[in-house]
Amino acid sequence: MNDKLNFNQIQLVSLVLLRILIGWHFLYEGVIKLYSPSWTAKGYLLSATYMEGFFGWLASDSMISFTDTLNIAALIFVGVSLLLGFKSSWGSIIGIALLIFYYLAHPPFPGYPLGPSEGSYWIINKNLIEAAALFVIFLFPTSSFVGLDRLFVKKEINPSTT
């Protein structure tokens, strides 16, 4: 797939910059939660306004430790993956899944109360926008050009040069 992508310099720099910025955001969110001993997703999950049963189950006493650990691990994996350009397609997919979960817990749908947020939203919020940006990174991977994945790209041998 990467062999068919042909970016000009500005496109490549823009996509790599987008990948790094989102990677930084995910990594920071994961690390800050890891080093905040009192942090838990329980309050966020229990205040869900959509799919309350599912998010309530994730916040239950038997699940919350697993949910918190998985959330932190996924945030850090996505962040490192995107920053280093290593398995960034997997990082993008996992990041999209996380953001869709965050979106569905407190969707800015008409008629639903707004959850914890920094502003006012209607249908589209920051989680959905960042998920769309990760989808762009997934569709236009740059880690085989700028990133550790470059070390693992198989080089095709041109028979005319041998």
Side-chain angles (χ1 to χ4, degrees):
M1 182 167 143
N2 292 343
D3 295 337
K4 297 176 182 172
L5 297 176
N6 194 9
F7 301 122
N8 68 35
Q9 194 71 18
I10 292 174
Q11 291 169 326
L12 182 60
V13 169
S14 300
L15 287 168
V16 170
L17 183 62
L18 181 65
R19 189 188 85 208
I20 289 172
L21 292 174
I22 294 174
W24 173 261
H25 180 231
F26 271 81
L27 181 61
Y28 178 79
E29 288 290 332
V31 169
I32 205 73
K33 288 171 176 56
L34 180 66
Y35 288 105
S36 299
S38 63
W39 178 84
T40 179
K42 189 169 191 144
Y44 185 80
L45 294 170
L46 288 176
S47 66
T49 57
Y50 187 72
M51 298 172 54
E52 298 95 338
F54 174 70
F55 292 111
W57 173 71
L58 289 176
S60 66
D61 289 340
S62 62
M63 288 294 295
I64 193 61
S65 179
F66 175 76
T67 301
D68 287 345
T69 302
L70 186 61
N71 188 34
I72 291 170
L75 286 166
I76 291 173
F77 171 77
V78 172
V80 169
S81 166
L82 295 176
L83 275 174
L84 298 179
F86 182 69
K87 303 293 182 191
S88 58
S89 293
W90 281 101
S92 297
I93 291 169
I94 293 169
I96 290 169
L98 280 174
L99 291 165
I100 295 299
F101 276 124
Y102 302 156
Y103 178 83
L104 289 175
H106 296 280
F109 294 159
Y112 282 83
L114 279 178
S117 68
E118 299 168 2
S120 299
Y121 300 101
W122 189 68
I123 300 175
I124 308 295
N125 66 11
K126 294 187 301 187
N127 291 327
L128 198 58
I129 293 168
E130 196 168 17
L134 278 176
F135 190 61
V136 170
I137 291 171
F138 175 77
L139 291 177
F140 302 100
T142 59
S143 57
S144 61
F145 302 107
V146 181
L148 291 180
D149 282 345
R150 183 179 180 157
L151 302 174
F152 303 102
V153 172
K154 293 180 182 172
K155 306 268 187 213
E156 288 186 23
I157 298 173
N158 188 348
S160 64
T161 60
T162 56

